[in-house]
Amino acid sequence: MDLVNFEQVGLTINGRKLLSDIEFSMSKGEHVGVIGPSGAGKSTFLNLLLGFLSPTEGRVSLFEEDLSQVEVASLEDLRMNMGMLFQTNALFAEWSVYENIAFPIRYHYGLSEEIISNMVAMKLDSVGLRGAEKLMPSELSGGMARRVSLARAVALDPKFLVYDEPFTGQDPVTKSNLKELMMKLHRQYHVSSLIVSHDIQDLSEIVDRMIVIWSGRIVAAGTVSEVMNSSDKKVQDFIQGKLEMEQVQEKGDLLTDLIGGPHV
Amino acid sequence: MSSGILATCSRLGQSFWFVLRTLKAFPRRREHVKAILQQIYALGNQSMLIVFVAGCFIGMVVTLQGYMSLEHYGASSEVGGLTAYSIYRELGPVVTGLLFAGRVGSLLASEIGLMQINQQFVCLEMLSINASRLVLFPRFFAVLVSVPALNILFCLSAVMSSYLICTSALGVSDGVFWNSLEYRSLFFRDVMHGVTKSFIFGGVIAWVALYQGMYTEKTRLGLAKATTAAVVSSSLYILAIDYIFTALSRSFL
């Protein structure tokens, strides 16, 4: 079963071609990395996959449902099977750690507070933060906040986890712990995952395969070693950090504006 | 020039589309109804004191000014009716609207803008929670019902303060005050006129504040601009709509 399927997907906004000829699919149980320099089209790819943008060409399917055909209610049902870790963590600052994790469980399952409390404790335990229930997001370190965000991402026991730049802004020790935690969660919850990052070294340790997006196109795809040994000059430049500024398209601002904007 | 007009039209269309989608997001679950009640409390109840105090002062000022003018023509016994008439029809809805735009408009724009910047709307959507139903509609509805209710509170406090000033300081008797008020102002013509206006003002405040917050530039300065724009724009819209409404009611009534 294909979890995600992009068929000849293209996206043009205000006459600017942001993505073109994207062919991609991933199956249940896979862990796939999406890498590329800033402004390459990774966020656009993610927005299309999550249903926040519609392609102007081709078709995007999620859990074998064509996203251009699904109603809002069906999209909400599809997202029940997904969890997401945000680059900004997106924790609700006025709520405690407990409330941040309990909220989606309470909203969707309407369980008794005792059961919710046990579930929250279990989720926090799985990210190594048992006992942090009463802390407020402002009292958490960057690494702890990311782990709380991860605990919330798995709160509804998703089948598919999406990570948006999970390693950004983390120190090497936290990063290493986070990678271990991600792999542990993948095993524990039997989830598939898609990780968007610009850090190929970190990504290579946790994914089965990866795609490289460059100027809105997939320029390399395959297992980690296949991508690492790609003969494509752009890929090699990116791996070795030789990217020249003029090679990066200035699309970042536009895409940042789109996510979370018009769809709500 | 033409690109500016195009951008303005585009924003106008975007804001109409936004308010339509917000109004379509009717509550479907207990949590949505709870969110509406919480917002009515946070936005409406929490504004009661400021509206009540403002109503008292404005009632007293209008009474004193009116008394001085009417005394000149030997018609000081009409002061109660004149005060009530101007409060019910104009000052009540307009001042309540402006106070509410200042207090709640800025609050809503900054709250929604900050949620947008921190990706909390996307987060809610990813948790399979309809953000329009849980966040936007409850706020819109709460503002819509709070402004008319606060307008009534404003009118009551203004009339009561006018009564106190008239009977205690200006030597107008109880009977003269209430008789003048009863004679001068009519429930459907004046009170409902003001309530209808304040309902429209509520819609405008909610629309402008939520839209500014939702489509804020995702920078610190962008959020500050959105907050300011929410207050300034909704205040100007209130004054403009007030004029149009008054001119129309003069033509039709």
Side-chain angles (χ1 to χ4, degrees):
Chain A
M1 175 192 163
D2 276 346
L3 273 185
V4 180
N5 196 15
F6 279 59
E7 288 173 47
Q8 287 296 311
V9 170
L11 180 72
T12 307
I13 295 179
N14 297 335
R16 296 173 72 182
K17 212 163 182 78
L18 302 178
L19 282 184
S20 45
D21 300 327
I22 301 288
E23 278 282 341
F24 169 77
S25 69
M26 73 176 274
S27 312
K28 201 176 161 190
E30 274 194 302
H31 304 290
V32 180
V34 179
I35 58 163
S38 303
K42 303 189 298 291
S43 300
T44 316
F45 178 85
L46 196 57
N47 279 328
L48 285 167
L49 184 146
L50 300 174
F52 293 134
L53 284 176
S54 299
T56 46
E57 295 156 42
R59 204 168 75 110
V60 179
S61 307
L62 186 63
F63 296 105
E64 302 202 322
E65 296 269 359
D66 182 352
L67 288 183
S68 61
Q69 306 291 322
V70 295
E71 298 284 320
V72 175
S74 311
L75 194 58
E76 284 173 17
D77 289 343
L78 286 181
R79 286 179 183 153
M80 281 289 282
N81 297 315
M82 296 174 76
M84 183 163 176
L85 181 76
F86 293 86
Q87 189 178 349
T88 57
N89 297 323
L91 293 174
F92 291 92
E94 65 279 17
W95 292 346
S96 65
V97 165
Y98 176 86
E99 275 305 313
N100 265 285
I101 302 168
F103 177 66
I105 304 173
R106 193 182 292 128
Y107 185 92
H108 288 295
Y109 300 140
L111 300 167
S112 74
E113 207 53 41
E114 194 188 343
I115 297 173
I116 293 173
S117 167
N118 288 335
M119 287 175 80
V120 172
M122 216 167 69
K123 302 293 173 190
L124 279 173
D125 197 34
S126 68
V127 296
L129 282 177
R130 182 176 270 269
E133 284 92 338
K134 287 184 180 156
L135 293 175
M136 296 302 285
S138 58
E139 297 171 306
L140 303 172
S141 67
M144 283 168 85
R146 188 123 315 174
R147 281 190 279 164
V148 172
S149 184
L150 197 50
R152 184 182 58 188
V154 294
L156 300 175
D157 294 327
K159 293 178 186 143
F160 180 31
L161 268 176
V162 178
Y163 300 87
D164 184 15
E165 301 281 3
F167 310 116
T168 304
Q170 305 292 316
D171 64 72
V173 177
T174 314
K175 216 187 263 188
S176 163
N177 289 341
L178 187 63
K179 277 183 272 186
E180 275 179 32
L181 185 60
M182 284 161 73
M183 288 190 279
K184 187 187 127 193
L185 287 178
H186 295 167
R187 284 194 303 272
Q188 191 174 339
Y189 292 100
H190 305 289
V191 290
S192 312
S193 66
L194 185 125
I195 307 162
V196 175
S197 176
H198 60 268
D199 195 330
I200 192 164
Q201 301 301 338
D202 289 320
L203 210 53
S204 62
E205 294 172 33
I206 42 176
V207 297
D208 307 321
R209 63 186 178 96
M210 55 173 77
I211 58 169
V212 183
I213 297 186
W214 191 285
S215 298
R217 287 171 184 274
I218 295 178
V219 291
T223 61
V224 174
S225 58
E226 281 169 351
V227 170
M228 292 290 221
N229 297 320
S230 166
S231 57
D232 192 303
K233 189 177 177 306
K234 290 172 195 163
V235 178
Q236 284 308 318
D237 280 353
F238 178 63
I239 292 169
Q240 290 160 24
K242 289 182 190 165
L243 186 65
E244 289 171 20
M245 282 313 289
E246 62 265 29
Q247 289 176 287
V248 181
Q249 288 196 348
E250 292 169 354
K251 291 172 184 167
D253 291 345
L254 175 63
L255 299 176
T256 314
D257 279 352
L258 286 167
I259 191 161
H263 67 282
V264 182
Chain B
M1 173 79 177
S2 61
S3 66
I5 295 170
L6 208 64
T8 307
C9 290
S10 160
R11 277 186 77 82
L12 212 62
Q14 191 183 45
S15 76
F16 271 108
W17 186 234
F18 167 74
V19 81
L20 280 179
R21 274 180 304 162
T22 303
L23 289 173
K24 266 173 65 183
F26 279 120
R28 286 205 180 150
R29 306 168 57 121
R30 201 161 43 98
E31 289 84 357
H32 303 150
V33 178
K34 199 175 152 196
I36 291 176
L37 296 176
Q38 279 171 344
Q39 289 306 318
I40 290 176
Y41 175 77
L43 305 179
N45 288 35
Q46 299 280 318
S47 304
M48 281 172 74
L49 185 64
I50 183 177
V51 167
F52 179 80
V53 173
C56 286
F57 282 116
I58 287 182
M60 290 190 285
V61 168
V62 172
T63 305
L64 285 176
Q65 286 289 350
Y67 185 82
M68 284 189 283
S69 305
L70 291 170
E71 195 180 28
H72 192 66
Y73 299 102
S76 53
S77 59
E78 295 295 326
V79 68
L82 184 81
T83 304
Y85 184 80
S86 52
I87 295 282
Y88 291 159
R89 289 184 71 94
E90 291 301 329
L91 287 169
V94 172
V95 175
T96 306
L98 293 176
L99 284 172
F100 205 77
R103 186 187 174 270
V104 169
S106 56
L107 187 145
L108 283 181
S110 55
E111 184 191 16
I112 299 296
L114 207 58
M115 283 183 77
Q116 185 70 291
I117 289 171
N118 291 336
Q119 291 189 299
Q120 287 172 349
F121 281 105
V122 187
C123 174
L124 286 174
E125 297 281 327
M126 287 311 298
L127 289 169
S128 199
I129 295 169
N130 188 318
S132 295
R133 282 189 214 287
L134 190 73
V135 180
L136 298 177
F137 185 87
R139 281 160 180 74
F140 197 101
F141 186 81
V143 174
L144 211 59
V145 297
S146 293
V147 180
L150 289 169
N151 170 47
I152 291 170
L153 176 71
F154 182 97
C155 293
L156 286 175
S157 67
V159 168
M160 286 316 292
S161 67
S162 170
Y163 168 76
L164 288 174
I165 283 285
C166 281
T167 52
S168 64
L170 303 176
V172 178
S173 70
D174 280 19
V176 169
F177 181 87
W178 292 119
N179 188 42
S180 140
L181 194 139
E182 195 181 344
Y183 174 72
R184 282 278 171 197
S185 46
L186 298 170
F187 181 77
F188 278 106
R189 193 193 64 189
D190 302 324
V191 178
M192 288 316 288
H193 175 98
V195 170
T196 310
K197 260 204 258 194
S198 58
F199 184 76
I200 296 168
F201 295 162
V204 169
I205 295 166
W207 182 350
V208 173
L210 293 177
Y211 173 74
Q212 288 292 344
M214 202 68 200
Y215 291 89
T216 183
E217 273 177 48
K218 288 163 189 159
T219 60
R220 200 159 34 95
L221 190 63
L223 186 60
K225 277 186 193 167
T227 310
T228 309
V231 178
V232 174
S233 305
S234 51
S235 300
L236 289 177
Y237 288 141
I238 285 171
L239 295 173
I241 292 169
D242 184 50
Y243 170 73
I244 295 166
F245 201 87
T246 306
L248 286 176
S249 65
R250 189 171 168 271
S251 309
F252 292 110
L253 294 176

